[in-house]
Amino acid sequence: MRPINVNLRQEHTAVINKLIEYIDEHIEKPLELKDLSEKALVSPYHLHRVFKSITGETIHAYVNRIRLEKAASKLKHSETIDVSETSRQCGFSSVSIFSRSFRNHFGVSATEYRKMYSINSKSRKINSKNNQLQSTWLAYNKGGANDLELDITIKRMRPCYIAYIRTNGRVLEKTFEENRNHLETMGAIFDWARQHSLWNPPLTSLLSIEYQDPSVSGNKYMRVDCGLTLLKPIDSTGEVGCRLFAGGQYAVLRIFDTTMHARERVKQFWEDWLPNSGFYYTSQPVIILHQNNPSWEPSYRYFVDYAVPISPKQYPGKNLSHYREEMRTPPPRPDLPRLTQLFEEERP
């Protein structure tokens, strides 16, 4: 009987993965249980039960949390969007409902959040009722990152299909042991790719995708896809899903370091480089492109490209392409050869 239960859970996982993709793509629209159950071709009761079993949250709680985290990310990183527009873009039916939900979740109003925790604010620490902001990696190891040199280039990722296995928890945790779950999931997608003759470097690449803003979402609910780029789409089967990733413009931070120092570099990227770069974070998924297996390194060093989706800020009369070129410091290290063609460097 055990294989039947496993197969049934894999079928449920495939349904929920597709439904989560639909929710992500339509977060600004009404997402009622009845409509979602019709999309998933199951009854509302069955969908409610299966969704909770797979994700640990009810559909209502999941949708509400994703909307609030997306709203917080927009308020934090965008200088122009107001509270009313944030509410609309994140799918709330009214500003009053959004304001009440935001305060209940984060412990402060949306306006106070922007003043206190905006990436351009001098004060970036608030006391969240859910303790979410205290649990982010940005709150970890506050000192020591300012002296690091960051290897950052502005690149463009072409659209591609990705096969993935979904898990939870940020990719770069404090220690190698805390990253073991992520590494095991990466190993599972790698083994699956080899079994299906889909591993073909450098035409294919291993990557992780963090779907929520890492400076807003707590580690418990950070949704991560451990994936493999594909040359063409495949049918989703069981826990292995397939989706089209649109690509776009990214600030790519190259890291070759232990997890602790890698986190310091990522922290410096978000807190120091990004606010002064002429770009803002678009609140789309962050991509971590893996160039090695840290288990094989003597000191468990990660060799990754940490890619954050960005868009230019508006500077009247300023040549932004030249500004973009100014921010490319220092030049890429020659001892770390490029292993993948997923990202293409932009020309000024």
Side-chain angles (χ1 to χ4, degrees):
M1 296 299 294
R2 179 66 177 171
I4 296 178
N5 292 335
V6 170
N7 291 337
L8 184 60
R9 184 170 181 84
Q10 289 181 345
E11 291 177 10
H12 289 166
T13 299
V15 170
I16 298 306
N17 282 346
K18 286 294 183 183
L19 188 64
I20 286 176
E21 292 172 20
Y22 177 83
I23 291 172
D24 286 347
E25 294 168 0
H26 299 83
I27 197 67
E28 77 284 357
K29 298 179 179 179
L31 295 169
E32 301 296 335
L33 177 60
K34 179 178 180 296
D35 299 328
L36 293 175
S37 65
E38 292 177 356
K39 183 71 178 177
L41 302 177
V42 296
S43 70
Y45 171 78
H46 185 64
L47 179 60
H48 176 83
R49 184 172 58 85
V50 170
F51 194 95
K52 178 71 179 293
S53 172
I54 297 296
T55 67
E57 293 181 279
T58 66
I59 290 183
H60 174 76
Y62 175 82
V63 170
N64 191 59
R65 178 177 60 80
I66 292 298
R67 283 174 168 164
L68 289 169
E69 290 177 353
K70 185 174 287 291
S73 181
K74 287 178 177 292
L75 291 170
K76 178 177 179 179
H77 295 284
S78 175
E79 299 175 348
T80 58
I81 188 172
D82 59 22
V83 172
S84 177
E85 180 62 15
T86 300
S87 169
R88 186 191 66 79
Q89 290 185 10
C90 296
F92 289 91
S93 57
S94 70
V95 176
S96 61
I97 292 177
F98 167 67
S99 299
R100 183 167 60 252
S101 299
F102 195 96
R103 181 180 287 276
N104 288 339
H105 192 76
F106 290 107
V108 295
S109 70
T111 302
E112 291 171 326
Y113 181 95
R114 163 167 272 172
K115 289 179 180 178
M116 300 173 67
Y117 207 72
S118 167
I119 199 165
N120 296 304
S121 172
K122 293 181 180 179
S123 175
R124 299 176 182 171
K125 186 177 180 181
I126 69 173
N127 182 21
S128 167
K129 181 180 293 186
N130 290 350
N131 202 31
Q132 261 188 293
L133 298 180
Q134 307 301 332
S135 66
T136 65
W137 57 260
L138 284 178
Y140 168 73
N141 199 7
K142 297 182 177 59
N146 292 333
D147 296 329
L148 297 175
E149 288 188 337
L150 301 184
D151 178 356
I152 299 173
T153 52
I154 307 303
K155 297 178 181 283
R156 185 162 293 277
M157 175 184 167
R158 62 182 183 273
C160 63
Y161 288 97
I162 295 173
Y164 65 87
I165 297 177
R166 186 154 291 163
T167 186
N168 287 333
R170 282 184 295 273
V171 175
L172 297 174
E173 272 303 322
K174 299 177 186 178
T175 67
F176 182 81
E177 284 299 321
E178 289 178 294
N179 283 287
R180 189 166 296 280
N181 177 61
H182 171 260
L183 293 173
E184 289 176 353
T185 307
M186 290 298 299
I189 192 67
F190 179 73
D191 291 342
W192 174 88
R194 295 189 65 180
Q195 291 170 9
H196 291 80
S197 301
L198 294 173
W199 177 241
N200 186 25
L203 299 179
T204 54
S205 307
L206 285 173
L207 48 79
S208 302
I209 304 172
E210 293 183 339
Y211 281 90
Q212 290 107 278
D213 184 341
S215 65
V216 173
S217 300
N219 186 50
K220 177 182 178 181
Y221 292 116
M222 173 64 75
R223 192 172 90 249
V224 174
D225 285 351
C226 299
L228 170 88
T229 58
L230 300 171
L231 301 179
K232 59 182 180 179
I234 61 169
D235 293 330
S236 299
T237 55
E239 65 175 352
V240 179
C242 179
R243 67 178 302 175
L244 176 64
F245 210 80
Q249 188 180 45
Y250 290 80
V252 181
L253 168 64
R254 173 155 286 189
I255 300 172
F256 186 47
D257 219 327
T258 61
T259 54
M260 180 174 292
H261 291 142
R263 286 164 60 89
E264 292 177 356
R265 294 180 186 278
V266 171
K267 175 180 183 290
Q268 185 174 344
F269 172 92
W270 286 96
E271 292 194 343
D272 298 330
W273 185 87
L274 186 60
N276 301 296
S277 66
F279 299 92
Y280 68 90
Y281 169 54
T282 63
S283 299
Q284 296 301 308
V286 172
I287 296 175
I288 298 95
L289 185 62
H290 299 274
Q291 305 281 26
N292 77 336
N293 184 339
S295 303
W296 299 345
E297 291 286 337
S299 55
Y300 301 119
R301 291 181 298 177
Y302 278 78
F303 181 14
V304 300
D305 285 341
Y306 183 89
V308 176
I310 55 171
S311 186
K313 295 179 181 178
Q314 299 301 316
Y315 291 95
K318 187 172 182 65
N319 185 336
L320 193 56
S321 63
H322 177 65
Y323 186 82
R324 190 163 58 232
E325 186 71 15
E326 292 173 351
M327 298 308 299
R328 293 180 185 167
T329 56
R333 288 171 52 181
D335 58 321
L336 300 180
R338 190 72 182 157
L339 302 181
T340 178
Q341 301 300 319
L342 183 61
F343 293 103
E344 300 170 350
E345 188 163 348
E346 289 203 335
R347 298 177 181 176

